[in-house]
Amino acid sequence: CLFLFLQCDNAKGLKAFYDAIKYGPNHLMVFGGVCATVTSIIAESLKGWNLVQLSFAATTPELADKKKYPYFFRTVPSDNAVNPAILKLLKYYQWKRVGTLTQDVQRFSEVRNDLTGVLYGEDIEISDTESFSNDPCTSVKKLKGNDVRIILGQFDEEMAVKVFCCAYDEEMYGSKYQWIIPGWYENLWWESWINSSQCLSKNLLAAMEGYIGVDFEPLSSKMIKTISGRTPQQYEKEYNAKRGDGQSSKFHGYAYDGIWVIAKTLQRAMKYLNATNKHQKIEDFNYTNHKLGKIFLDAMNETNFFGVTGQVVFRNGERMGTIKFTQFQERKEVKVGEYNAVADTLEIINNSIRFQGLEPPKDKTIIQEELRKISLPLYSILSALTILGMIMASAFLFFNIKNRNQKLIKMSSPYMNNLIILGGMLSYASIFLFGLDGSFVSEKTFETLCTVRTWILTVGYTTAFGAMFAKTWRVHAIFKNVKMKKKIIKDQKLLVIVGGMLLIDLCILICWQVVDPLRRTVEKYNMEPDPAGRDISIRPILEHCENTHMTIWLGIVYAYKGLLMV
């Protein structure tokens, strides 16, 4: 195989590759390619050389395009591989509303665009999409303004410090918010960039507390033997012993499994040739032998074994690997779960995720409407007083009827007195109806009450004060008689006057009801924090009886009743 450990300089990297092709022996495969720029150029030209390439460190999403890079494979998951894992996490906590915050770099933009496609059709709303170049504060502020609680971030370590400083300033941290960001940052990454920000270390750490990082798993956590006969833990111990003081790379397990992929691919190719064409061997391969090239390509696609990085399976050349979730807890990252892309399963380690509140954050501000009701004790007191008033009125009515033939009672016009008492009792009855709200009756019944109580109060008022007006008018009519002639005005005439006043009332009420009837309307007030301290906001609402031209109708009624009162 041709092992590629090329520089990230395009010119030097390509020269090294083409020199190896031109002057070296025929290579069966290409193993390697780390930098995206060099790797993508080489991978695009492999079809012409009839070569299959396997990379262990190139994670750029661009290389997943099989039309452009049909001969390219990789043992390491691409940057886009975290997106199905994020989807699974969002579903696990029933977060259906998220926002994205992305640094204006192609690598991060590609992941964000793929995430949009992954979430599409999954009943998860991306309520706001923000991007920034150098200063993320404006974008963070917009996210808060749009009530985004679950933020999916794509940015490097330097920008992460700035983002969390802005989050602290905007109070976008704590029990109401959850940040989900890349998990490939170096250990203690913030210490390298804290001096370049205007944020105090304690404020930065407060904003960072609880964020969840998402990245591929460098080594499998399962304690079972791999294809090499070692468990991942045994391999890591041996690797560290041989590495000594040398710098460790998180890609070493993928390079190790990559060697096994190539070995098993060639083994399958040899078995296929022995079974179908005994005269041809893999040593016969050259850059124009498309038949052997196709056999290598098919054999690579059939890869399926358990390696030190987990189950090694390709889907359209992409590694279906394991994605790990870590959480920042008390100045260190703790593994809290993992996602298996092969089985499409998410495993959360028991009691490992610590949310800042008593429960996971809500994906938006939960607004709970609370009906402002009439105080039950107050309604009870007023009802009791009303009942006493009605009992007193009933006693007066009974007294008036019983003694109607006595001279003094008869002289006071008992019929008119009875009308005043009945009008008073109707007005008393309206107090019960005005106290009934949504805590006692349904919305439909409340709307009916809007009309009923208006009619009862209006008729009761006119009956009581109309009768009083009629009696006063009779006294006035008698005593204004300057000639002092005997003048008799009977109760029947007074009843006609009261009836005329009630007829005017009926005309107004019927027109009101037909033209512009009263409806139940709800008035909403500014939101208030929950008194119990829950992560919800209370929006007080109040029921009213209203119509389109309320002012006009009330003006007519008040004018008429005012004249009656005067």
Side-chain angles (χ1 to χ4, degrees):
C1 287
L2 172 59
F3 287 81
L4 285 177
F5 298 98
L6 303 175
Q7 301 180 47
C8 291
D9 183 296
N10 287 1
K12 293 181 180 179
L14 292 173
K15 184 177 185 303
F17 171 72
Y18 289 122
D19 285 348
I21 294 293
K22 183 175 181 180
Y23 301 112
N26 282 344
H27 302 284
L28 300 178
M29 292 182 188
V30 178
F31 182 61
V34 178
C35 291
T37 52
V38 180
T39 303
S40 59
I41 295 173
I42 292 174
E44 191 172 4
S45 65
L46 290 177
K47 188 175 181 180
W49 298 102
N50 203 32
L51 280 170
V52 173
Q53 180 181 2
L54 179 67
S55 173
F56 58 87
T59 61
T60 176
E62 178 190 3
L63 293 166
D65 186 354
K66 297 311 292 181
K67 291 182 179 179
K68 194 174 183 181
Y69 310 106
Y71 280 70
F72 178 81
F73 292 78
R74 49 185 163 194
T75 53
V76 63
S78 82
D79 292 335
N80 284 348
V82 302
N83 290 335
I86 291 174
L87 170 63
K88 210 72 175 179
L89 182 71
L90 296 177
K91 287 186 172 182
Y92 184 84
Y93 287 109
Q94 297 181 358
W95 290 326
K96 296 185 177 182
R97 186 176 182 273
V98 301
T100 61
L101 181 62
T102 310
Q103 184 180 351
D104 278 335
V105 175
Q106 183 180 359
R107 173 186 183 183
F108 300 126
S109 298
E110 288 178 345
V111 177
R112 189 268 317 280
N113 293 339
D114 181 74
L115 176 64
T116 302
V118 169
L119 298 184
Y120 181 77
E122 295 291 342
D123 196 26
I124 295 177
E125 173 196 358
I126 301 180
S127 59
D128 194 9
T129 300
E130 297 293 336
S131 59
F132 65 94
S133 296
N134 188 50
D135 183 10
C137 288
T138 302
S139 297
V140 171
K141 193 170 184 178
K142 287 181 180 179
L143 288 170
K144 183 178 182 180
N146 288 322
D147 192 32
V148 174
R149 300 285 200 89
I150 313 301
I151 305 102
L152 310 179
Q154 282 293 330
F155 33 76
D156 59 27
E157 296 103 317
E158 180 183 5
M159 290 298 114
V161 170
K162 294 184 178 182
V163 166
F164 283 112
C165 282
C166 298
Y168 181 84
D169 292 339
E170 295 294 333
E171 297 183 347
M172 286 187 67
Y173 65 97
S175 60
K176 294 183 178 181
Y177 295 92
Q178 182 60 61
W179 289 83
I180 302 174
I181 65 174
W184 43 260
Y185 299 163
E186 296 293 331
N187 191 32
L188 303 176
W189 54 269
W190 65 91
E191 294 183 351
S192 303
W193 301 101
I194 184 64
N195 294 330
S196 63
S197 70
Q198 299 178 349
C199 198
L200 295 177
S201 179
K202 64 176 183 178
N203 295 345
L204 176 64
L205 292 172
M208 290 167 52
E209 184 67 26
Y211 79 69
I212 293 176
V214 191
D215 191 22
F216 58 80
E217 185 76 275
L219 290 174
S220 175
S221 58
K222 294 182 179 178
M223 300 181 68
I224 58 178
K225 287 187 176 182
T226 66
I227 192 171
S228 66
R230 303 177 181 87
T231 64
Q233 294 74 24
Q234 290 172 334
Y235 159 79
E236 185 178 26
K237 184 177 180 181
E238 187 176 341
Y239 168 78
N240 288 332
K242 291 185 177 182
R243 176 173 60 86
D245 296 331
Q247 186 176 0
S248 175
S249 167
K250 69 176 184 179
F251 297 106
H252 64 85
Y254 293 98
Y256 181 77
D257 280 345
I259 298 296
W260 277 100
V261 170
I262 290 174
K264 298 297 289 183
T265 296
L266 294 177
Q267 187 182 61
R268 279 192 295 273
M270 292 167 64
K271 285 183 179 179
Y272 178 82
L273 289 174
N274 288 335
T276 58
N277 190 347
K278 296 184 179 181
H279 301 292
Q280 195 171 27
K281 300 180 180 179
I282 61 173
E283 291 88 342
D284 298 331
F285 174 80
N286 58 59
Y287 301 136
T288 60
N289 191 332
H290 293 285
K291 183 178 179 181
L292 270 177
K294 183 68 167 57
I295 291 173
F296 292 158
L297 188 66
D298 293 340
M300 183 77 79
N301 271 314
E302 293 172 4
T303 299
N304 192 346
F305 65 83
F306 186 76
V308 297
T309 59
Q311 197 69 27
V312 182
V313 180
F314 296 118
R315 184 177 296 168
N316 293 325
E318 292 294 293
R319 169 71 187 275
M320 304 299 292
T322 302
I323 304 299
K324 69 172 181 176
F325 292 95
T326 58
Q327 188 179 42
F328 189 73
Q329 300 176 1
E330 299 176 356
R331 301 187 63 144
K332 63 179 184 293
E333 290 194 342
V334 178
K335 182 177 177 181
V336 294
E338 66 178 33
Y339 168 75
N340 187 324
V342 178
D344 190 28
T345 56
L346 173 66
E347 179 184 355
I348 300 295
I349 300 172
N350 291 337
N351 302 319
S352 57
I353 290 189
R354 298 180 190 172
F355 294 108
Q356 305 295 299
L358 299 175
E359 58 183 359
K362 302 287 191 302
D363 57 11
K364 60 182 177 182
T365 299
I366 303 299
I367 300 174
Q368 183 174 310
E369 291 189 341
E370 187 175 274
L371 181 65
R372 289 295 162 92
K373 305 171 184 176
I374 292 175
S375 168
L376 184 59
L378 178 62
Y379 181 63
S380 301
I381 292 170
L382 288 176
S383 296
L385 292 174
T386 301
I387 291 171
L388 288 175
M390 294 185 77
I391 292 172
M392 185 173 65
S394 300
F396 289 153
L397 182 62
F398 174 76
F399 176 83
N400 215 41
I401 294 172
K402 184 178 180 182
N403 300 295
R404 65 184 180 275
N405 293 321
Q406 291 192 16
K407 185 179 179 181
L408 291 176
I409 300 298
K410 197 171 184 179
M411 288 175 63
S412 69
S413 300
Y415 291 113
M416 305 314 298
N417 293 339
N418 291 344
L419 282 179
I420 293 172
I421 293 171
L422 289 172
M425 293 181 73
L426 282 173
S427 299
Y428 271 130
S430 69
I431 295 176
F432 293 114
L433 301 180
F434 275 101
L436 295 175
D437 57 16
S439 58
F440 297 103
V441 297
S442 65
E443 292 180 8
K444 187 175 181 181
T445 304
F446 183 87
E447 192 162 290
T448 303
L449 285 175
C450 288
T451 301
V452 173
R453 64 195 188 187
T454 303
W455 279 62
I456 289 177
L457 180 59
T458 304
V459 171
Y461 182 93
T462 301
T463 303
F465 283 90
M468 194 179 299
F469 168 81
K471 287 182 64 176
T472 308
W473 172 82
R474 178 164 64 179
V475 173
H476 168 74
I478 291 173
F479 284 94
K480 81 171 184 176
N481 181 12
V482 293
K483 295 181 180 180
M484 296 298 292
K485 290 182 178 180
K486 188 176 182 181
K487 187 173 184 179
I488 299 174
I489 301 176
K490 294 185 177 182
D491 285 352
Q492 286 82 353
K493 189 171 184 179
L494 300 185
L495 289 173
V496 171
I497 294 173
V498 175
M501 291 180 178
L502 288 174
L503 186 61
I504 295 172
D505 267 343
L506 290 175
C507 290
I508 294 173
L509 290 172
I510 290 171
C511 290
W512 191 349
Q513 181 65 26
V514 172
V515 176
D516 193 12
L518 288 168
R519 303 289 185 194
R520 175 186 178 271
T521 58
V522 175
E523 184 178 354
K524 297 184 178 181
Y525 294 87
N526 293 333
M527 289 188 291
E528 302 172 355
D530 178 46
R534 296 173 296 171
D535 184 18
I536 62 174
S537 293
I538 304 296
R539 186 189 294 280
I541 62 173
L542 192 61
E543 291 176 308
H544 290 296
C545 293
E546 238 175 75
N547 54 12
T548 308
H549 304 290
M550 190 72 171
T551 306
I552 297 174
W553 293 109
L554 287 179
I556 294 172
V557 172
Y558 289 163
Y560 174 48
K561 303 302 177 189
L563 286 173
L564 182 60
M565 179 71 77
V566 171

